[in-house]
């Protein structure tokens, strides 16, 4: 069994819960899950035991009711037994048209941490998946600074993800092991403060920011060009979507953290910083979850010839990440069993836009895929 807690019961969290239950019921195959059912831990062993949100209209409702906001037919009855609990808010939904509340409204952050740890012990939680709204955040770099901010109840300095991770580390230390999958851009696997804390707390961290959409595709195209020694002159890549994630990204500070995780691929893969514009660009409600992506890459080939690639697509946003989470939940459990605490680069390099730890960069995903398989104990596919 893999006991999973979802942090942020939005579009991705709901499609993840729905898809896992549909697979268990035999309603759905494994497309969109990179490792399908190759791992020793089977998809059918994933059990969602808890869910947290800060949207007042979701707290206290069953997962069945929340999933219904995103999907309207054949929702598995099994989702009726899980109730969405109140999480840590800390400005996560600031400036968004959503009424929010958080545990910290009534207690200090240290008390919130203790309360959550007790709840997780009851749930026997093992893997925590963070799919909260994108935050504007500043990394800590030093573990002491992080602990100080919690102890001093510094609500301005900390984001919800940072406090969740701290709480999960403390929980992992008490129960002997846990995993945290950070699918959002907040730097956690890339913040040495959290990696150090994880190592001494029996915590596995995967992160940061799930690699879906146009970014991993751009990374693969850039490696294709790099391997042929073509010189990339410039890259324009943008996304326009109509889900609340895109709405949140219209906020400048939040967009900055997304832009950072997306842009890190250019220098990492090419070895030079080709001029680029890579960021979520806009919100257009009628597009819904099926975003519009476009990419333009100009490069120099032999004899100075200049070529251009132009790619456009409509991509369902949430299922792309939810499928990766089905692997990450199981790989998290595998890492706990192996006691590989801290962060695991071979997993991050394939599944994350900004793979931690901080000193490691992006590598072509076709290579990362093979390394990840080997780490997971599977045979490489093409090597
Ligand atoms: N393909 C993808 O969709 C993709 C890829 C990479 C990363 N992500 C990241 O995944 C996250 C979720 O995306 P989404 O489309 O599901 O967004 P969403 O807006 O539908 O869902 C976010 C949910 O988190 C809740 N939330 C916000 N702050 C919270 C907190 N502090 N504690 C608990 N719950 C909180 C919100 O109320 C909402 O229910 C975003 O941060 C996004 O950047 C998504």
């Amino acid at each position: 069994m893999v006991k999973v807690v979802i942090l942020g019961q939005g579009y991705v969290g709901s499609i993840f819960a729905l898809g896992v239950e549909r697979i268990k019921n035999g309603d759905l195959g494994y497309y969109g899950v990179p490792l399908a059912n190759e791992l020793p831990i089977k998809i059918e062993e994933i059990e969602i035991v808890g869910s947290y949100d800060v949207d007042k209209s979701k707290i206290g409702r069953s997962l069945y009711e929340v999933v219904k906001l995103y999907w309207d037919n054949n929702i598995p009855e099994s989702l009726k037994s899980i109730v969405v609990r109140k999480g840590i808010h800390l400005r996560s939904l600031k400036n968004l048209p959503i009424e929010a509340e958080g545990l910290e409204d009534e207690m200090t952050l240290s008390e919130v941490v203790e309360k959550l740890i007790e709840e997780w012990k009851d749930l026997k939680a093992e893997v925590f998946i963070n799919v909260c709204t994108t935050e504007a955040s500043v990394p800590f770099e030093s573990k002491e600074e992080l602990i100080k901010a919690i102890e001093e109840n510094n609500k301005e300095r900390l984001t919800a993800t940072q406090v969740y991770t701290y709480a999960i580390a403390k929980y992992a230390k008490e129960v002997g092991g846990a995993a945290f999958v950070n699918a959002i851009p907040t730097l956690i696997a890339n913040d040495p403060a959290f990696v150090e804390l994880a190592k001494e707390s029996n915590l596995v961290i995967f992160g940061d920011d799930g690699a879906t959409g146009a970014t991993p595709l751009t990374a693969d195209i850039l490696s294709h060009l790099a391997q042929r020694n073509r010189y990339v002159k410039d890259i324009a890549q943008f996304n326009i979507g109509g889900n609340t994630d895109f709405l949140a990204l219209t906020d400048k500070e939040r967009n900055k953290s997304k832009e950072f995780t997306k842009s890190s691929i250019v220098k990492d893969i090419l070895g030079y910083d080709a001029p680029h514009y890579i960021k979520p660009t806009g919100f257009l409600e009628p597009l819904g979850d099926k975003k519009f992506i476009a990419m333009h890459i100009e490069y120099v080939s032999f004899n100075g010839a200049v070529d251009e690639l132009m790619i456009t697509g409509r991509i369902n946003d949430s299922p792309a990440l939810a499928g990766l989470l089905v692997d990450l939940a199981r790989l998290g459990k595998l890492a706990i069993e192996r006691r590989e605490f801290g962060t695991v680069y071979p997993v991050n390099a394939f599944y994350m836009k900004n793979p931690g730890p901080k000193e490691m960069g992006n590598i072509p995903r076709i290579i990362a895929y093979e390394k990840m398989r080997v780490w997971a104990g599977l045979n490489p596919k093409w090597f």
Side-chain angles (χ1 to χ4, degrees):
M1 279 302 184
V2 187
K3 295 192 185 298
V4 172
V5 166
I6 300 171
L7 303 171
Q9 198 56 55
Y11 220 133
V12 176
S14 295
I15 298 298
F16 168 73
L18 173 71
V20 165
E21 295 306 304
R22 289 184 68 200
I23 287 176
K24 287 198 223 170
N25 292 346
D27 274 0
L28 191 68
Y30 304 137
Y31 289 131
V33 179
L35 296 177
N37 237 350
E38 288 186 81
L39 288 171
I41 304 170
K42 299 299 166 206
I43 299 177
E44 290 77 5
E45 290 177 64
I46 297 176
E47 187 191 348
I48 297 161
V49 295
S51 162
Y52 287 80
D53 209 289
V54 292
D55 176 341
K56 267 190 177 172
S57 70
K58 289 179 178 169
I59 299 166
R61 289 174 85 179
S62 76
L63 215 52
Y64 181 93
E65 289 173 279
V66 175
V67 168
K68 221 173 174 175
L69 303 171
Y70 303 96
W71 191 261
D72 55 14
N73 56 341
N74 287 333
I75 303 172
E77 298 278 319
S78 50
L79 294 172
K80 285 190 171 159
S81 61
I82 307 146
V83 173
V84 178
R85 295 163 188 247
K86 195 195 291 184
I88 306 164
H89 180 218
L90 291 178
R91 309 171 306 283
S92 285
L93 295 176
K94 196 177 145 199
N95 297 336
L96 289 171
I98 298 167
E99 233 192 299
E101 60 183 2
L103 290 170
E104 79 281 6
D105 297 344
E106 295 136 42
M107 51 186 116
T108 65
L109 292 175
S110 301
E111 287 165 345
V112 169
V113 168
E114 292 311 319
K115 178 178 167 48
L116 288 173
I117 292 175
E118 287 314 307
E119 291 185 11
W120 298 336
K121 280 184 184 164
D122 282 346
L123 299 173
K124 299 193 167 45
E126 294 171 307
V127 179
F128 296 79
I129 294 182
N130 183 28
V131 277
C132 291
T133 308
T134 310
E135 309 169 331
S137 66
V138 179
F140 274 91
E141 305 284 338
S142 128
K143 193 187 73 186
E144 290 66 34
E145 288 298 311
L146 163 70
I147 295 171
K148 199 169 132 219
I150 302 262
E151 282 172 354
E152 290 178 353
N153 199 31
N154 192 343
K155 295 180 183 169
E156 288 310 306
R157 174 67 183 87
L158 288 148
T159 66
T161 296
Q162 289 168 333
V163 182
Y164 281 131
T165 317
Y166 175 84
I168 295 164
K170 209 156 178 235
Y171 166 75
K173 196 166 190 174
E174 290 184 24
V175 300
F180 178 65
V181 178
N182 184 41
I184 83 166
T186 304
L187 301 180
I188 298 292
N190 282 282
D191 184 343
F194 283 104
V195 176
E196 193 190 330
L197 184 69
K199 278 187 191 148
E200 58 189 42
S201 308
N202 307 324
L203 175 67
V204 182
I205 296 175
F206 294 152
D208 297 312
D209 199 8
T212 66
T215 308
L217 184 60
T218 306
D220 279 346
I221 293 171
L222 293 182
S223 11
H224 173 98
L225 299 174
Q227 284 172 351
R228 285 155 188 82
N229 195 21
R230 290 172 184 160
Y231 178 77
V232 176
K233 291 179 68 172
D234 52 79
I235 305 156
Q237 184 207 296
F238 64 83
N239 291 276
I240 298 175
N243 57 27
T244 42
D245 185 27
F246 276 86
L247 179 63
L249 291 171
T250 52
D251 182 272
K252 236 183 169 177
E253 289 304 309
R254 297 179 201 258
N255 203 324
K256 241 188 231 161
S257 50
K258 207 55 168 182
E259 188 184 343
F260 177 78
T261 57
K262 283 170 177 280
S263 294
S264 59
I265 53 166
V266 178
K267 188 148 194 245
D268 287 350
I269 291 187
L270 294 177
Y272 53 91
D273 210 2
H276 60 269
Y277 179 102
I278 304 181
K279 55 176 123 172
T281 334
F283 173 68
L284 183 62
E285 200 172 8
L287 295 186
D289 197 42
K290 199 167 175 181
K291 64 186 177 186
F292 168 60
I293 62 137
M295 197 191 301
H296 172 261
I297 302 175
E298 221 179 348
Y299 60 88
V300 181
S301 177
F302 189 61
N303 198 35
V306 176
D307 299 343
E308 285 168 67
L309 285 175
M310 275 169 262
I311 296 167
T312 55
R314 284 290 301 278
I315 298 184
N316 284 286
D317 208 15
S318 304
L321 180 56
L324 302 188
L325 297 176
V326 175
D327 276 352
L328 288 161
R330 297 179 294 156
L331 293 170
K333 173 85 185 238
L334 201 69
I336 301 170
E337 284 172 356
R338 293 193 193 163
R339 306 192 64 73
E340 272 198 48
F341 301 123
T343 193
V344 182
Y345 181 72
V347 172
N348 300 340
F350 179 69
Y351 291 98
M352 299 292 170
K353 284 199 189 87
N354 188 14
K358 192 182 170 189
E359 58 279 10
M360 305 291 279
N362 273 283
I363 53 172
R365 288 205 159 59
I366 46 173
I367 293 170
Y369 174 75
E370 301 292 354
K371 286 185 188 282
M372 177 276 290
R373 288 183 65 91
V374 171
W375 180 86
L378 303 171
N379 287 329
K381 212 156 187 179
W382 296 290
F383 267 23

